[in-house]
């Protein structure tokens, strides 16, 4: 059980607050191996719900799951020049097996483009074999030096979609489609609003033609890259000889995309919604949506209240007029703990809705419902408890998205801004700053060097300012793009 020492507040030290929330709400724990983490049942329960929702969305867009090996011949990594440059420094290499030195070292996958496209090359002969739409749920290893629970760990869980197409335009459409799927998931399920757009050349995936990303604002005003989708062009097809006979009879290289989201999203969930009392989970992803806390003093009260709590739980489980799925309800019948201590613990764990149920409530055929997001209390009749709970959970889900979006917009800066003011903002409270960029990588690199802020994306049209910036933030030259600048995780 979590201890009842007060959490460090977000204002005091956001990073300490984050670690305490993750550990004390029992989402994850440090592992005996430096930089790895153990995902505990409450954290894994969130991941399972994320997986299920995303998996349904991938299948609805025509993808199928497959599984490729953890180990990849080291030579594969070297076949695509940018890819090896990007991933070799953080590769974990297996040199021995069964007590013998291996003839060729194997790397533990940091991502699976190489092994997957080597297999696609075997499976694709003709345009009739295309498009090939595959997803895999897997773990990957990247030897990071500085790690944070969920945000950056040596090993993490993710999904990686990999597709092959007959034309550039089809691949582009796929990459954009999956970016849209991610956005729908992040906003609809995580209640985490994102800005979508294209990465600059310096920030794109190693080996991609173009990278698109979803960027979310955390409560310290830093950006979290929460998902990426890449149009890989023909780079990997050429490296792995992935060719097909086109309708015209010509032999052509295929066009690939890859796209991924990971357990990093759980870190995003914590930093988007958590408060000084702990986690706040959006109902759709909460392993428990409603906790019933029985209140009693004497033994006869105890029996009566517990019996009622179980009866309410059973009736809620039968509540079928609700999409998607059944209500997830828990009765906290633990002995030897005061109701106040239970409230504190369930708030820390982020359960969206709490029902307080005592003998006097039962006398008046009611229960008290308390929202985790607003901590608002309201009594409700036991006759309509199913409708009330389902309605409140929907309301909480929507309100959390609205609140997060409002916070992001309040902390976004658009319109004319001097570079001095920009530096001040990035040194201080941080922000999403929409500003002009001349397109020169030198300006981008200098700003990064001087302020640690990077171009998160060149935002998609709907996120662009009504009046586009005319001058580059750094050199004052003509702006080619509007860029979204922020410090990032
Ligand atoms: Zn410039």
């Amino acid at each position: 059980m979590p201890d009842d020492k007060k959490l460090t507040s977000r204002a005091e030290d956001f990073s300490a607050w984050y670690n305490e929330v993750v550990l004390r709400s029992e989402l994850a724990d440090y592992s005996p191996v430096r930089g790895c983490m153990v995902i505990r049942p409450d954290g894994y329960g969130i991941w399972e719900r994320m997986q299920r929702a995303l998996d349904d969305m991938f299948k609805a867009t025509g993808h199928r799951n497959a599984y490729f090996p953890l180990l990849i011949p080291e030579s594969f990594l070297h076949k695509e020049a940018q890819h090896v440059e990007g991933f070799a420094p953080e590769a974990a290499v297996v040199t021995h097996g069964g007590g013998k030195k291996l003839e060729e070292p194997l790397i533990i996958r940091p991502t699976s483009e190489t092994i997957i496209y080597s297999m696609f090359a075997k499976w694709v002969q003709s345009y009739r074999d295309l498009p090939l739409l595959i997803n895999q749920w897997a773990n990957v290893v990247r030897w990071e030096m500085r790690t944070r629970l969920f945000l950056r760990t040596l090993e993490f869980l993710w999904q990686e979609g990999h597709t092959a197409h007959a034309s550039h335009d089809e691949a582009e459409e796929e990459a954009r489609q999956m970016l849209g799927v991610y956005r729908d998931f992040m906003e609809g399920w995580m209640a985490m609003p994102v800005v979508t757009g294209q990465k600059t050349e310096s920030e794109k995936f190693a080996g991609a033609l173009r990278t698109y990303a979803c960027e979310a604002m955390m409560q310290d005003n830093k950006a979290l890259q929460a998902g990426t989708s890449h149009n890989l062009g023909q780079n990997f097809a050429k490296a792995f000889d992935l060719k097909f006979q086109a309708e015209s009879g010509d032999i052509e290289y295929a066009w690939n995309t890859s796209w991924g989201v990971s357990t990093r999203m759980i870190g995003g969930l914590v930093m988007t919604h958590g408060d000084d009392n702990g986690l706040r989970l959006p109902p759709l992803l909460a392993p428990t949506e409603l906790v019933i806390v029985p209140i009693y003093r004497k033994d006869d009260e105890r029996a009566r209240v517990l019996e009622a709590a179980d009866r309410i739980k059973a009736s809620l489980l039968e509540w079928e007029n609700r999409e998607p799925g059944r209500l997830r309800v828990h009765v906290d019948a633990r002995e030897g703990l005061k109701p106040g201590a239970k409230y504190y613990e369930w708030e820390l764990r982020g359960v969206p809705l709490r029902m307080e149920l005592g003998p006097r409530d039962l006398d008046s055929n009611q229960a008290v419902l308390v929202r985790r997001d607003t901590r608002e209390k309201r009594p409700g009749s036991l006759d309509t408890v199913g409708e009330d709970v389902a309605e409140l959970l929907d309301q909480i889900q929507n309100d959390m998205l609205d609140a997060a979006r409002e916070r992001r917009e309040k902390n976004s800066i658009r319109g004319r801004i001097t570079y001095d003011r920009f530096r001040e903002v990035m040194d201080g409270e941080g922000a999403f700053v929409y500003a002009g960029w001349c397109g020169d990588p030198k300006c981008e690199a200098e700003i990064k060097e001087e302020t640690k802020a990077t171009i998160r994306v060149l935002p998609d049209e709907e996120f662009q300012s009504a009046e586009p910036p005319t001058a580059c933030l750094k050199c004052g030259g003509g702006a080619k793009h509007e860029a979204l600048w922020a410090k990032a995780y």
Side-chain angles (χ1 to χ4, degrees):
M1 194 212 310
D3 62 50
D4 55 5
K5 196 174 119 261
K6 232 176 139 28
L7 288 169
T8 300
S9 75
R10 288 163 297 170
E12 210 177 318
D13 184 343
F14 191 76
S15 163
W17 166 84
Y18 174 78
N19 287 335
E20 284 174 30
V21 170
V22 168
L23 292 169
R24 284 175 52 187
S25 64
E26 299 184 351
L27 296 184
D29 206 345
Y30 295 112
S31 89
V33 179
R34 182 201 70 87
C36 292
M37 73 170 166
V38 176
I39 306 176
R40 301 183 67 175
D42 274 5
Y44 205 80
I46 296 172
W47 179 240
E48 282 177 319
R49 298 199 58 76
M50 287 178 159
Q51 274 188 306
R52 219 169 295 160
L54 282 165
D55 203 63
D56 286 347
M57 293 167 101
F58 298 157
K59 290 188 175 138
T61 42
H63 303 87
R64 295 199 299 165
N65 288 329
Y67 187 78
F68 297 82
L70 171 78
L71 299 171
I72 299 177
E74 193 182 34
S75 58
F76 277 32
L77 198 59
H78 293 268
K79 288 191 178 182
E80 210 290 326
Q82 293 171 24
H83 195 64
V84 67
E85 206 182 296
F87 285 102
E90 49 189 48
V93 186
V94 179
T95 55
H96 288 74
K100 285 199 195 115
K101 189 162 189 286
L102 302 177
E103 272 178 38
E104 182 185 352
L106 300 168
I107 59 163
I108 301 176
R109 63 181 163 220
T111 177
S112 303
E113 275 75 9
T114 59
I115 195 152
I116 290 182
Y117 300 133
S118 77
M119 297 309 296
F120 278 18
K122 271 174 83 174
W123 301 339
V124 172
Q125 270 88 44
S126 137
Y127 69 91
R128 289 185 204 88
D129 301 324
L130 298 173
L132 187 51
L133 308 172
I134 297 287
N135 175 62
Q136 104 163 333
W137 290 98
N139 56 344
V140 289
V141 168
R142 297 178 184 176
W143 215 262
E144 304 278 2
M145 285 319 178
R146 299 181 49 163
T147 56
R148 298 282 309 273
L149 291 168
F150 288 116
L151 301 174
R152 183 163 274 119
T153 48
L154 293 198
E155 180 189 2
F156 58 88
L157 304 182
W158 78 343
Q159 60 70 217
E160 45 182 324
H162 292 276
T163 66
H165 305 265
S167 72
H168 165 274
D169 290 0
E170 248 185 61
E172 180 68 12
E173 198 180 310
E174 167 79 6
R176 295 291 321 189
Q177 170 183 255
M178 298 324 287
L179 186 77
V181 165
Y182 287 158
R183 180 183 176 187
D184 289 348
F185 170 74
M186 288 169 193
E187 298 188 341
W189 287 75
M190 297 176 68
M192 182 175 84
V194 294
V195 176
T196 58
Q198 189 179 338
K199 290 279 178 186
T200 62
E201 281 298 299
S202 73
E203 299 281 334
K204 73 177 187 186
F205 177 75
L209 195 60
R210 281 188 285 278
T211 289
Y212 301 101
C214 296
E215 299 281 333
M217 184 194 273
M218 304 294 101
Q219 287 181 70
D220 58 355
N221 296 342
K222 280 177 151 178
L224 183 82
Q225 177 179 299
T228 50
S229 179
H230 319 287
N231 181 340
L232 300 173
Q234 294 174 307
N235 294 343
F236 286 92
K238 286 176 180 164
F240 289 92
D241 214 25
L242 167 49
K243 289 188 284 204
F244 68 99
Q245 183 167 39
E247 235 175 317
S248 64
D250 295 346
I251 301 295
E252 293 175 10
Y253 287 108
W255 300 79
N256 297 114
T257 79
S258 68
W259 27 276
V261 292
S262 72
T263 37
R264 180 172 230 225
M265 291 191 295
I266 298 174
L269 205 61
V270 175
M271 291 194 292
T272 296
H273 300 301
D275 67 11
D276 291 346
N277 298 305
L279 272 182
R280 289 192 294 181
L281 293 174
L284 289 177
L285 293 177
T288 301
E289 291 167 291
L290 169 72
V291 60
I292 303 177
V293 179
I295 304 167
Y296 50 81
R297 286 216 181 84
K298 298 174 229 126
D299 270 0
D300 59 325
E301 284 176 354
R302 176 176 174 273
R304 183 172 166 231
V305 173
L306 281 181
E307 185 273 330
D310 286 338
R311 188 159 31 85
I312 292 168
K313 177 180 174 178
S315 80
L316 288 174
L317 290 183
E318 280 165 23
W319 186 256
E320 282 167 5
N321 277 339
R322 183 166 176 270
E323 286 300 326
R326 285 159 182 265
L327 287 167
R328 297 178 295 285
V329 184
H330 174 69
V331 177
D332 185 353
R334 287 177 296 176
E335 292 296 334
L337 260 187
K338 292 213 167 80
K342 292 181 179 177
Y343 302 162
Y344 176 87
E345 181 179 335
W346 293 112
E347 287 196 352
L348 176 63
R349 290 174 184 272
V351 173
L353 201 54
R354 175 173 87 226
M355 182 185 290
E356 303 173 359
L357 191 66
R360 262 181 299 167
D361 295 311
L362 288 178
D363 289 343
S364 47
N365 192 41
Q366 67 160 36
V368 175
L369 289 169
V370 188
R371 291 171 64 152
R372 174 62 183 94
D373 62 333
T374 57
R375 305 181 89 193
E376 189 186 315
K377 278 188 177 204
R378 80 172 195 209
S381 160
L382 289 181
D383 295 335
T384 57
V385 73
E387 288 95 326
D388 290 351
V389 166
E391 223 178 82
L392 262 177
L393 289 170
D394 285 347
Q395 187 72 45
I396 292 170
Q397 182 80 31
N398 293 333
D399 289 354
M400 286 179 78
L401 176 62
D402 289 347
R405 190 174 278 134
E406 205 174 292
R407 171 176 57 77
R408 181 188 72 190
E409 291 309 302
K410 214 179 80 201
N411 293 296
S412 295
I413 298 175
R414 293 177 187 268
R416 284 185 70 87
I417 181 169
T418 64
Y419 188 54
D420 283 346
R421 175 67 192 135
F422 176 81
R423 292 188 70 158
E424 233 171 68
V425 168
M426 289 303 163
D427 278 345
E429 69 279 14
F432 273 17
V433 177
Y434 294 78
W437 178 46
C438 63
D440 187 340
K442 217 176 118 233
C443 285
E444 185 188 16
E446 280 173 14
I447 293 179
K448 183 176 178 180
E449 173 73 32
E450 290 167 7
T451 69
K452 298 202 174 68
T454 48
I455 297 181
R456 303 316 304 154
V457 283
L458 305 175
D460 287 335
E461 204 178 332
E462 71 164 287
F463 299 101
Q464 291 169 14
S465 304
E467 279 185 45
T470 53
C472 175
L473 174 65
K474 179 67 184 161
C475 68
K480 262 200 199 131
H481 308 276
E482 177 166 26
L484 166 57
W485 294 88
K487 285 194 189 173
Y489 279 92

